[in-house]
Amino acid sequence: MNDVIRIEYKGDFVFHVAFDDGRSGDVDFSEYIGKGPIFEPLKDRSFFKKARIEGGTISWPNGADIAPETLYDKIGCQQTTAADSR
């Protein structure tokens, strides 16, 4: 399993997410907004921007997080690593 090593807020509900194997891409988290009480605070963009890397994935101060393999799948078709292009 790959770990998230860098995140960068891009706007709206989007973060650019980079993994330890060089794969990276933009992930739109808007599909999670309102999906249960843990994701409810993410509606507030100022709270949404407080995301951090914890345990190899993106998480928020209230304990909301997304499994790293889910994020990896979401960006999988966006960018190839240098090793993939050989």
Side-chain angles (χ1 to χ4, degrees):
M1 181 171 65
N2 297 96
D3 289 335
V4 173
I5 58 166
R6 187 172 38 86
I7 58 173
E8 178 186 349
Y9 179 70
K10 300 298 272 187
D12 292 326
F13 296 106
V14 178
F15 273 98
H16 186 81
V17 179
F19 283 88
D20 57 1
D21 68 349
R23 195 173 296 263
S24 66
D26 292 344
V27 177
D28 183 352
F29 291 90
S30 62
E31 70 181 272
Y32 296 101
I33 307 302
K35 287 213 174 182
I38 193 76
F39 293 109
E40 196 67 28
L42 276 61
K43 285 183 178 179
D44 177 353
R45 281 201 181 87
S46 64
F47 185 82
F48 181 80
K49 292 179 189 179
K50 293 181 180 183
R52 60 187 182 267
I53 298 170
E54 187 176 322
T57 195
I58 189 169
S59 67
W60 286 268
N62 69 334
D65 65 5
I66 309 295
E69 58 270 19
T70 299
L71 298 174
Y72 196 82
D73 287 346
K74 287 185 177 295
I75 65 167
C77 62
Q78 293 181 29
Q79 179 179 10
T80 59
T81 64
D84 290 340
S85 61
R86 291 184 202 158

